[in-house]
Amino acid sequence: MPLLDHLNPEQLAAVTLPNQHALILAGAGSGKTRVLTTRIAWLVQTGNASPAGILAVTFTNKAAREMLTRISAMLPINTRGMWVGTFHGLCNRMLRAHHRDAGLPQLFQILDSADQLSVVKRVLKSMNVDEEKFQPKQVQWFINGAKEEGKRAGDVEVYDDFSRRMVEIYAAYDEQCRREGLADFPELLLRCFELLSRNEVLRTHYQSRFRHILVDEFQDTNRLQYRWLKLLAGQGNVIFGVGDDDQSIYRFRGANVGNMADFEREFKVENLIRLEQNYRSHGNILDAANALISHNRRRLGKNLWTAAGEGEPVRVYEAQSDGYEARWIAEEVQSLVREGYARSDIAVLYRSNAQSRVLEHALFTAGIAYRVYGGLRFFERQEVKHALAYLRLLANPDDDSAFLRVVNFPTRGIGARSVEQVQDAARGAGGSLWAAASSLTGKAGTAVGAFVKLVAAMRENARGLPLPEVVDHVLHASGLLDHYKTEREGTDRIENLEELVNAATAFVRDELPTGAALAAVDQAEAAAAPAAPAEAPDPWLAAFLAHAALESGENQAGEGADAVQLMTAHSAKGLEFHIVFISGLEEGLFPHEQSVTEEDGLEEERRLMYVAVTRARTRLYLSFAQTRLLHGQTRYNVASRFLDEIPAAVLKWLTPRGGKLFGDAAAWQPAPAPLRLAAKAERSGPGALPFRIGQNVNHPKFGVGVIVSAEGSGADARVQINFGRQGMKWLQLEYAKLTPA
């Protein structure tokens, strides 16, 4: 059949499988979408199924549209009536058709996340709930999490008074949605599951209709989605699951990697086919990925290979600091562009959103067009702009736009009417909002006056502090950090706020002595209207704010422009690039420090690294830094364990491993002064060994570590060493048996 042309043997076997449950382990770049769409076309063309008898489910509307487009290209049929879509889209379709049975009005409205949050706030207000204790976003997270587990309010276990109150709010929210005919996104799946569970007639109808159920990205399904699929799988139905357990990286969204193994066991799957031929990457990149993921114990197992040859070795670079790492990446990008690569062929990946700041700064300084994929540039992120607004008020309380941005953020009970009164008073007096708020009386004056006192206290307490400490003080005193601790995905926002402290530290260290900083000061002074008060807490605060404004300007390349792509490793899934840089490969960063203590956490981090590695087609760079700013302080790092898990044969170190950096000495800051400590000749070799803060050393029991501190001398000398997985250790040098790494 022409339809089957250009399929490799494993793809052909998958497409033409008999009518039995099947699980296709589709490795990265192995032609997963081709297999899925060709399977559908083959079923129709051979008469095994009609277009109306197929249900195909995926996770994004984009993927669903691509599947339909490919099917249309292979078959002379109208695909508009086919049931191909996302879980939520297909459930919405069922609920629209059977709204009465589902207990919904015919024209029920679907709530997006913002609309859902508004309903939650209305419910909290109607129940007279303290929003400081039960924050709306935290309540929204609780409700959605329960629904994704398939639990109504009455099914949620109560542990204490707090959880009891949360359950009461959940029940009231459900009742409010019922009265108004509303359904949030998790409700679509839960309501559809409940409908099919209790209505045997409907369940039998759909089981009889959809004899072939095809599931894309099986590894990303959550528990309720898997239960929904099981409901639809009647006696004669066939589930064709396609996925890659090695690329399951969305546990934080509820994805359950164990669903694939459960499916294989519960449905007694005999047809398990591995698509291992990779059409994307060269051999050395795949060897690195295979070796890395082999350290995960709970996997179904496969080994990627390619007919494209070994290709170039994987390049590894050790930088002295995160700033130097970013500048080296920028220089390497310039070199690649000179070689003839387009900037859009190049991606820089990182574990945490906060890491983008130093990379953006390096690319901007080097004049390299870049674009942050799937997110905002650092200084444009909501939480960063909130923090900068507070800092702007410290530098100049008469900054009206900053005042309006944070007067009620975090929420402090200042309503729109109170803000209007302040604005009216300011217009009447011809002054600033700050001045009007300071003199306002009545109920509005009391609420807004508390905010004015808060900012005034911050200004007073920040006076005389170094710039990084000013930023840190504002983050705590404003309540921003506490606010984001309550959000479901608040960890990223907190990391971005902490990175703002790092930005201030780097600004003081690197930017202030330069002409660029002086120009920023001049620009800030010229633009100030009215001028910033002379008693501003830090004379360089205005310069830092100007620097932030310049960095948040129109630096990012436009849509479709030739630009380097910056993104997190999570955002990179499904994409591919000729050149990939994976930066920040340090213990505690990648893998993330939280992963070590969480069940399956480290294995998911390794899967995320596997996804990052397999984005590269022709050239892969791995980089890490000996030191990195964290909370405004220098942290000495241990290289990521993932580097040790990649075979040395496929690696090319651009710097001596564990040694001093090479290159133009003038381009690097001097290393910390050597710390020379005497040691017994019989224990540590002849004579005195030179050690320095920041040096890599070997210990016979704890392995490789970094010296982060030292004290004492002679026989009493001891050093503090960060051994990464083994933790921080104080060791007496005389007995430590340390050797340079």
Side-chain angles (χ1 to χ4, degrees):
M1 298 173 66
L3 190 69
L4 306 179
D5 289 348
H6 311 300
L7 296 178
N8 67 36
E10 291 74 27
Q11 291 173 336
L12 179 63
V15 167
T16 58
L17 276 172
N19 293 339
Q20 292 178 301
H21 299 302
L23 183 58
I24 313 302
L25 293 182
S30 63
K32 168 179 68 69
T33 305
R34 172 188 287 186
V35 167
L36 261 173
T37 52
T38 308
R39 169 71 173 178
I40 293 173
W42 182 82
L43 287 171
V44 173
Q45 195 170 77
T46 57
N48 279 278
S50 68
I54 293 173
L55 178 77
V57 57
T58 186
F59 275 83
T60 66
N61 290 318
K62 179 182 177 182
R65 286 193 297 270
E66 182 179 355
M67 288 175 66
L68 288 170
T69 300
R70 292 199 188 191
I71 294 169
S72 296
M74 289 186 279
L75 291 174
I77 63 172
N78 185 348
T79 60
R80 294 178 67 88
M82 292 185 68
W83 283 62
V84 177
T86 65
F87 278 99
H88 292 111
L90 295 173
C91 286
N92 174 57
R93 189 168 174 177
M94 282 190 187
L95 293 174
R96 297 288 177 189
H98 310 287
H99 61 90
R100 288 190 183 87
D101 294 305
L104 289 168
Q106 183 176 5
L107 300 177
F108 69 86
Q109 298 297 306
I110 298 175
L111 296 172
D112 62 18
S113 182
D115 291 335
Q116 183 191 23
L117 185 61
S118 296
V119 175
V120 168
K121 289 178 178 178
R122 284 196 284 121
V123 169
L124 292 174
K125 186 174 182 179
S126 69
M127 297 176 70
N128 294 318
V129 172
D130 181 3
E131 290 193 15
E132 292 295 321
K133 186 175 181 181
F134 295 89
Q135 299 198 8
K137 285 196 174 182
Q138 185 182 23
V139 173
Q140 182 183 31
W141 174 31
F142 174 83
I143 291 171
N144 289 347
K147 288 187 177 185
E148 287 166 2
E149 287 287 325
K151 296 178 181 178
R152 290 293 180 191
D155 304 319
V156 177
E157 191 171 352
V158 172
Y159 301 98
D160 50 26
D161 290 340
F162 182 83
S163 60
R164 183 177 294 105
R165 190 59 166 160
M166 286 289 263
V167 168
E168 291 172 355
I169 296 169
Y170 178 11
Y173 167 83
D174 256 2
E175 177 60 22
Q176 184 76 21
C177 289
R178 185 196 64 77
R179 285 198 302 268
E180 298 182 22
L182 305 174
D184 52 51
F185 276 98
E187 179 71 20
L188 294 174
L189 187 63
L190 178 55
R191 185 69 67 107
C192 188
F193 174 78
E194 291 171 339
L195 171 64
L196 294 175
S197 296
R198 68 172 181 265
N199 193 318
E200 185 178 355
V201 173
L202 274 181
R203 184 172 66 251
T204 302
H205 164 73
Y206 282 111
Q207 287 174 344
S208 301
R209 175 174 180 175
F210 298 128
R211 291 299 186 182
H212 290 270
I213 302 171
L214 297 94
V215 187
D216 189 16
E217 305 286 11
F218 207 120
Q219 76 281 353
D220 292 335
T221 55
N222 62 30
R223 295 184 188 279
L224 183 58
Q225 288 163 345
Y226 179 52
R227 291 170 65 192
W228 183 80
L229 289 169
K230 287 166 65 176
L231 266 183
L232 286 172
Q235 291 298 318
N237 295 24
V238 174
I239 293 184
F240 185 87
V242 181
D244 183 2
D245 57 330
D246 290 335
Q247 294 189 74
S248 179
I249 60 173
Y250 296 123
R251 186 164 55 104
F252 65 95
R253 295 181 187 168
N256 180 27
V257 65
N259 284 347
M260 293 183 74
D262 290 346
F263 171 61
E264 183 185 16
R265 184 185 69 257
E266 293 173 8
F267 285 80
K268 298 179 174 58
V269 174
E270 298 177 3
N271 299 309
L272 194 152
I273 295 178
R274 292 172 170 83
L275 303 183
E276 297 176 305
Q277 184 172 0
N278 178 282
Y279 294 93
R280 176 187 301 157
S281 307
H282 284 159
N284 283 329
I285 294 171
L286 296 181
D287 288 346
N290 289 330
L292 179 77
I293 202 64
S294 69
H295 287 78
N296 276 5
R297 293 168 299 169
R298 289 172 291 196
R299 57 190 293 260
L300 297 171
K302 66 185 176 309
N303 206 56
L304 299 179
W305 63 276
T306 180
E310 290 184 353
E312 303 178 25
V314 177
R315 293 160 168 83
V316 186
Y317 188 83
E318 178 181 6
Q320 182 175 332
S321 69
D322 51 350
Y324 285 125
E325 179 191 35
R327 285 192 282 276
W328 168 76
I329 289 174
E331 291 168 2
E332 195 68 18
V333 167
Q334 289 175 320
S335 177
L336 290 166
V337 172
R338 286 194 294 270
E339 286 182 36
Y341 287 101
R343 293 174 186 84
S344 55
D345 288 336
I346 304 169
V348 183
L349 310 185
Y350 36 83
R351 174 62 180 84
S352 167
N353 267 311
Q355 290 172 253
S356 78
R357 183 197 63 81
V358 67
L359 293 164
E360 288 183 60
H361 177 68
L363 294 171
F364 171 63
T365 303
I368 300 171
Y370 72 89
R371 185 167 187 83
V372 178
Y373 179 89
L376 298 170
R377 290 170 295 171
F378 179 79
F379 285 109
E380 289 183 341
R381 292 167 191 163
Q382 178 203 76
E383 60 277 10
V384 174
K385 295 183 80 169
H386 286 327
L388 290 173
Y390 277 106
L391 290 169
R392 284 161 55 189
L393 287 176
L394 261 64
N396 177 16
D398 295 329
D399 186 331
D400 284 355
S401 60
F403 182 97
L404 289 172
R405 184 175 189 91
V406 294
V407 64
N408 195 39
F409 194 93
T411 305
R412 48 179 62 90
I414 300 174
R417 180 67 189 125
S418 296
V419 174
E420 287 176 9
Q421 288 181 255
V422 175
Q423 291 173 313
D424 291 342
R427 278 193 295 269
S432 67
L433 296 177
W434 175 270
S438 303
S439 58
L440 198 66
T441 58
K443 184 179 178 181
T446 301
V448 179
F451 169 70
V452 170
K453 289 177 182 177
L454 172 68
V455 175
M458 283 195 289
R459 294 188 81 236
E460 181 61 32
N461 293 332
R463 187 170 289 112
L465 294 178
L467 179 61
E469 293 184 28
V470 171
V471 177
D472 186 65
H473 171 68
V474 165
L475 297 182
H476 285 86
S478 65
L480 285 174
L481 288 175
D482 288 338
H483 170 78
Y484 288 118
K485 285 176 183 176
T486 66
E487 287 196 357
R488 182 176 188 175
E489 297 181 7
T491 301
D492 268 357
R493 297 191 187 276
I494 290 171
E495 288 180 352
N496 285 331
L497 291 176
E498 291 171 342
E499 183 62 24
L500 190 62
V501 181
N502 296 342
T505 303
F507 179 76
V508 171
R509 183 192 64 202
D510 301 333
E511 303 292 338
L512 286 183
T514 69
L518 296 178
V521 174
D522 293 340
Q523 186 171 347
E525 290 177 349
E535 68 273 12
D538 185 287
W540 292 108
L541 179 55
F544 175 64
L545 292 171
H547 163 78
L550 291 171
E551 292 255 328
S552 65
E554 295 301 319
N555 308 330
Q556 185 163 232
E559 193 77 40
D562 183 25
V564 176
Q565 304 294 305
L566 269 60
M567 67 190 73
T568 63
H570 279 102
S571 298
K573 187 172 181 292
L575 304 176
E576 60 182 72
F577 303 91
H578 280 291
I579 313 290
V580 170
F581 292 83
I582 306 176
S583 62
L585 285 172
E586 299 134 32
E587 285 293 308
L589 188 57
F590 202 176
H592 198 278
E593 57 191 353
Q594 293 179 352
S595 68
V596 180
T597 59
E598 295 177 350
E599 184 182 358
D600 191 43
L602 183 57
E603 293 212 349
E604 176 135 336
E605 288 290 296
R606 192 173 284 110
R607 293 195 291 268
L608 184 59
M609 179 65 179
Y610 175 83
V611 167
V613 168
T614 53
R615 299 311 95 193
R617 296 169 65 183
T618 56
R619 191 180 295 186
L620 175 64
Y621 293 88
L622 310 176
S623 65
F624 64 100
Q626 295 174 353
T627 64
R628 186 174 296 273
L629 281 176
L630 185 69
H631 314 307
Q633 303 294 319
T634 299
R635 182 173 78 174
Y636 294 92
N637 302 312
V638 175
S640 171
R641 71 189 73 195
F642 296 153
L643 290 168
D644 293 329
E645 295 173 358
I646 297 175
V650 306
L651 299 178
K652 177 182 179 181
W653 284 76
L654 303 181
T655 47
R657 187 168 190 181
K660 293 183 178 179
L661 300 166
F662 78 98
D664 182 6
W668 302 97
Q669 290 182 345
L675 172 68
R676 297 187 176 275
L677 303 167
K680 282 190 174 182
E682 66 268 26
R683 297 210 182 265
S684 302
L689 284 176
F691 292 104
R692 61 176 173 80
I693 305 297
Q695 182 177 356
N696 288 348
V697 291
N698 261 320
H699 184 272
K701 178 179 178 181
F702 303 122
V704 176
V706 180
I707 297 176
V708 298
S709 184
E711 63 183 31
S713 60
D716 296 325
R718 65 179 193 147
V719 290
Q720 186 182 36
I721 303 175
N722 181 355
F723 286 107
R725 282 163 280 181
Q726 304 294 334
M728 301 284 284
K729 311 284 184 185
W730 276 102
L731 301 176
Q732 193 167 354
L733 190 63
E734 184 174 356
Y735 302 104
K737 299 182 182 179
L738 295 176
T739 57

